[in-house]
């Protein structure tokens, strides 16, 4: 989607309160877009909104819990109320508790699927009539190599993230000739901010060597929108080729996980999180 000749594009960024999301919001603002920031952490959203406004970017915070039925509708209504139109949605909010799958309940798996898959589907569904009427729109879905890499203890998360890639492709083919396109960003391990960095810190282990700084994701989102790229694999080296090799050789991802240190980190995180849960204390619900 090219830049408008007059005015600004307006972008909704989910998961904008911490992690990779603020990097995406800053990159969109630097590209000239107005931004609608959402997540549950009101203070962080307001702080980022203020930071961007001080730099001349129109920005507003619309807090919402995207695992709740009314969450996506609240975000959509807040964005339209603030700016009158929306051109871009970056479905970035996501996360996983890193638990053994055989220990998980229906509700826990449902929450993971709601956050990582259903919320992007619903936000897109809400936006489509508006975007089609204007003949202009781009949906960016932040997915993961989780399904291809076979990261341990991420069964529901991996299925949601692979589902998001399929969703992106079909939306793209169904609506692109009417002005609304879609891109999937398939992230490998990201360092400097976000869940991988937090898990490495929690495990007391270094971030896996095959990782990419969080700022790169922001720039990749802008490129995907402006050049209308179907799929970007964000990892060191020839990402799309590596992803294709993982499809051809399903044992390759787990082998890379062991070599890069991802398996050790995830196992240590799973064990640390399992311990307090067994003693009856709260376990983390998403993300870290
Ligand atoms: N970091 C990586 O290495 C990596 C790798 C592959 C893919 N990804 C993907 O990249 C995206 C961003 O991940 P991240 O690493 O930045 O994760 P993160 O640091 O855990 O941040 C997650 C974001 O999602 C929001 N969020 C979580 N639960 C929510 C809920 N119920 N309702 C609304 N918002 C919610 C959080 O905000 P609140 O807590 O304020 O709600 C936060 O802004 C995710 O889709 C993730 O799957 C990340």
């Amino acid at each position: 989607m090219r830049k408008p000749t007059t005015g600004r594009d307006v972008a909704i960024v989910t998961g904008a309160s911490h992690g990779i999301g603020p990097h995406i919001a800053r990159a969109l603002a630097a590209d000239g877009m107005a931004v609608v920031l959402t997540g549950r952490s009101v203070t962080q959203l307001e702080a980022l909104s203020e930071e961007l406004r001080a730099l001349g970017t129109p920005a507003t915070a619309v807090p919402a819990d995207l695992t709740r039925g009314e969450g996506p509708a609240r975000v959509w209504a807040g964005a339209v109320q603030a700016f009158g139109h929306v051109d871009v949605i970056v479905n970035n909010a996501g996360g996983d508790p890193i638990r053994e799958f055989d220990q998980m309940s229906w509700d826990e798996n449902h929450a993971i699927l709601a956050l990582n898959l259903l919320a992007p589907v619903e936000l897109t569904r809400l936006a489509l009539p508006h975007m089609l009427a204007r003949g202009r729109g781009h949906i960016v879905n932040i997915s993961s190599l989780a399904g291809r890499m076979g990261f341990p203890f991420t069964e529901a998360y991996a299925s949601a993230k692979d589902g998001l890639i399929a969703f992106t492709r079909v939306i793209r083919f169904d609506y692109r000739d009417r002005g609304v396109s879609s891109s999937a960003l398939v992230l490998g391990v990201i360092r400097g901010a976000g869940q991988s960095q937090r898990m490495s810190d929690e495990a007391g282990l270094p971030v896996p060597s095959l990782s990419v700084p969080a700022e790169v994701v922001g720039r990749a989102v802008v490129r995907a929108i402006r050049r209308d790229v179907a799929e970007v694999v964000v990892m060191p080296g020839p990402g799309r080729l590596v992803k294709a090799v993982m499809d051809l050789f399903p044992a390759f991802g787990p082998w890379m996980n062991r070599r890069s240190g991802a398996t050790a980190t995830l196992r240590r995180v799973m064990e640390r999180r399992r311990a307090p849960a067994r003693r009856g204390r709260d376990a983390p619900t998403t993300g870290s």
Side-chain angles (χ1 to χ4, degrees):
M1 191 175 70
R2 290 172 186 229
K3 285 194 185 188
T5 44
T6 57
R8 292 173 185 265
D9 281 325
V10 176
I12 295 174
V13 183
T14 74
S17 52
H18 57 84
I20 297 168
H23 292 276
I24 296 173
R26 289 186 188 107
L28 297 177
D31 186 65
M33 296 189 206
V35 289
V36 178
L37 309 169
T38 186
R40 294 164 304 176
S41 309
V42 179
T43 312
Q44 283 89 336
L45 292 174
E46 293 292 354
L48 181 59
S49 184
E50 251 175 55
E51 173 196 317
L52 295 176
R53 279 199 300 265
L55 295 170
T57 295
T60 191
V62 181
D65 184 340
L66 289 174
T67 61
R68 301 175 80 94
E70 75 280 7
R74 176 179 299 192
V75 173
W76 177 252
V80 173
Q81 192 184 17
F83 292 111
H85 72 277
V86 175
D87 305 281
V88 170
I89 298 178
V90 184
N91 285 307
N92 164 70
D96 185 55
I98 312 295
R99 299 258 321 277
E100 289 157 296
F101 185 64
D102 62 290
Q103 306 290 315
M104 292 182 70
S105 67
W106 165 273
D107 285 347
E108 287 166 331
N109 285 320
H110 193 274
I112 293 168
L113 290 167
L115 178 62
N116 291 283
L117 181 57
L118 288 178
V121 169
E122 177 61 1
L123 209 42
T124 304
R125 188 190 71 82
L126 289 166
L128 265 175
H130 170 96
M131 289 180 167
L132 290 172
R134 300 181 72 239
R136 183 174 180 79
H138 202 103
I139 311 292
V140 180
N141 291 317
I142 305 296
S143 184
S144 167
L145 275 174
R148 318 298 161 112
M149 296 283 288
F151 290 127
F153 318 117
T154 62
E155 281 82 352
Y157 173 75
S159 62
K161 289 300 188 185
D162 262 14
L164 201 52
I165 296 171
F167 174 66
T168 311
R169 286 189 183 175
V170 183
I171 285 287
R172 184 179 172 91
F173 289 122
D174 278 353
Y175 295 103
R176 197 160 168 250
D177 60 356
R178 296 165 64 189
V180 181
S181 192
S182 189
S183 307
L185 254 74
V186 186
L187 308 190
V189 176
I190 305 301
R191 67 172 182 269
Q195 56 186 1
S196 297
Q197 181 68 58
R198 280 201 310 281
M199 281 189 285
S200 297
D201 295 345
E202 185 180 343
L205 293 169
V207 181
S209 47
L210 288 169
S211 58
V212 169
E215 308 81 69
V216 171
V217 182
R219 292 199 291 275
V221 169
V222 172
R223 191 166 61 85
I225 296 166
R226 295 304 181 204
R227 297 195 192 165
D228 191 15
V229 186
E231 191 173 295
V232 181
V233 179
V234 183
M235 69 178 297
R240 295 187 67 211
L241 183 66
V242 176
K243 176 169 168 266
V245 170
M246 285 179 197
D247 283 340
L248 277 176
F249 304 103
F252 180 58
W255 176 82
M256 269 179 61
N257 286 338
R258 284 194 296 277
R259 297 274 304 184
S260 71
T263 298
T265 300
L266 285 159
R267 174 160 290 284
R268 198 174 287 188
V269 168
M270 180 277 290
E271 284 167 352
R272 280 175 59 90
R273 292 180 181 184
R274 184 174 56 182
R278 282 193 175 156
R279 289 197 297 270
R281 288 196 238 126
D282 288 343
T285 50
T286 63
S288 348

